[in-house]
Amino acid sequence: ETGVTQTPRHLVMGMTNKKSLKCEQHLGHNAMYWYKQSAKKPLELMFVYNFKEQTENNSVPSRFSPECPNSSHLFLHLHTLQPEDSALYLCASSQARGGNTIYFGEGSWLTVV
Amino acid sequence: KNEVEQSPQNLTAQEGEFITINCSYSVGISALHWLQQHPGGGIVSLFMLSSGKKKHGRLIATINIQEKHSSLHITASHPRDSAVYICAGFYGGSQGNLIFGKGTKLSVKP
């Protein structure tokens, strides 16, 4: 238990569906992240939020839409995804952006059919 | 270009063996992280270090700044150590990001 909770753990969606991934952290952290992990590839940073403000969008396609309503919650809204978007999506948090210890959730396994 | 390279990619060991996983990185990191990922997907932070050596239980992490190299050692390995071990370098100061290696898949046989 790392203090970062992700739901759902597994998601199968069609290319025309709209779904959302949810992340919640109970650590009092101010920075939250979405990462994508595809097979045989290193983790790729998608988005960074610092004090609820998006501070980085790593050239992510618009079919991925993040939302951070407060410092404890982070969502990733998914719309008209492609099969190549199938991957493990990991949420993480840290006390602040800038080299602190980072805490990851268990991840959401996404399959797009 | 900021890069993090790990070796080996895959490692099989017998229970009780001493294990070493290596990580090399390009200039400019301010911290080096070692992470452990279990088959279910979750990732746990093992160490964050910028110099010297850290130890936690049977795990030891070292970093050599001059050689831009870090190692993760596991003493008296156990099947429950089987996981993917990931090295990541933190680049860029207060607005920086982690750059991850591809991971080393460790399997410890009983």
Side-chain angles (χ1 to χ4, degrees):
Chain A
E1 176 57 53
T2 64
V4 180
T5 304
Q6 286 187 243
T7 55
R9 291 295 322 279
H10 299 271
L11 177 62
V12 179
M13 61 186 288
M15 289 190 283
T16 58
N17 291 159
K18 287 185 184 181
K19 298 284 184 184
S20 296
L21 307 181
K22 179 183 174 183
C23 176
E24 185 174 357
Q25 55 97 359
H26 308 281
L27 301 168
H29 289 167
N30 296 306
M32 295 187 77
Y33 312 80
W34 279 115
Y35 286 92
K36 176 183 178 183
Q37 188 178 35
S38 304
K40 309 290 186 188
K41 289 186 176 181
L43 274 81
E44 301 170 57
L45 179 66
M46 299 175 73
F47 302 103
V48 182
Y49 278 80
N50 204 25
F51 293 93
K52 301 190 299 179
E53 299 297 320
Q54 187 182 126
T55 57
E56 185 141 353
N57 175 337
N58 198 23
S59 303
V60 180
S62 59
R63 57 186 184 269
F64 294 92
S65 173
E67 179 190 0
C68 188
N70 54 61
S71 291
S72 299
H73 293 86
L74 186 64
F75 294 89
L76 187 63
H77 303 299
L78 314 170
H79 177 48
T80 58
L81 296 192
Q82 305 298 310
E84 59 264 30
D85 296 322
S86 298
L88 177 66
Y89 289 85
L90 287 150
C91 174
S93 71
S94 61
Q95 181 59 48
R97 189 174 180 187
N100 306 104
T101 299
I102 189 164
Y103 295 81
F104 285 86
E106 294 288 313
S108 294
W109 290 94
L110 173 67
T111 302
V112 182
V113 297
Chain B
K1 182 183 173 186
N2 298 328
E3 288 185 337
V4 175
E5 300 285 341
Q6 284 186 241
S7 64
Q9 275 190 285
N10 294 283
L11 182 56
T12 300
Q14 287 298 127
E15 184 173 355
E17 286 185 358
F18 180 83
I19 287 162
T20 296
I21 299 170
N22 296 299
C23 176
S24 60
Y25 53 87
S26 54
V27 296
I29 73 162
S30 55
L32 193 289
H33 295 244
W34 281 102
L35 308 160
Q36 180 192 54
Q37 184 172 31
H38 279 281
I43 294 177
V44 175
S45 180
L46 298 175
F47 297 102
M48 183 178 71
L49 64 167
S50 53
S51 64
K53 174 179 172 178
K54 287 191 176 181
K55 184 174 188 291
H56 185 256
R58 295 179 295 105
L59 301 178
I60 303 166
T62 63
I63 188 167
N64 184 318
I65 304 297
Q66 286 73 30
E67 296 188 4
K68 299 188 288 294
H69 180 269
S70 176
S71 293
L72 177 68
H73 305 286
I74 305 175
T75 61
S77 60
H78 190 276
R80 65 175 174 267
D81 297 325
S82 298
V84 176
Y85 292 84
I86 301 171
C87 165
F90 187 82
Y91 293 87
S94 63
Q95 297 301 308
N97 291 311
L98 285 170
I99 305 295
F100 294 84
K102 290 185 178 180
T104 295
K105 185 174 181 181
L106 171 66
S107 178
V108 181
K109 306 293 186 188

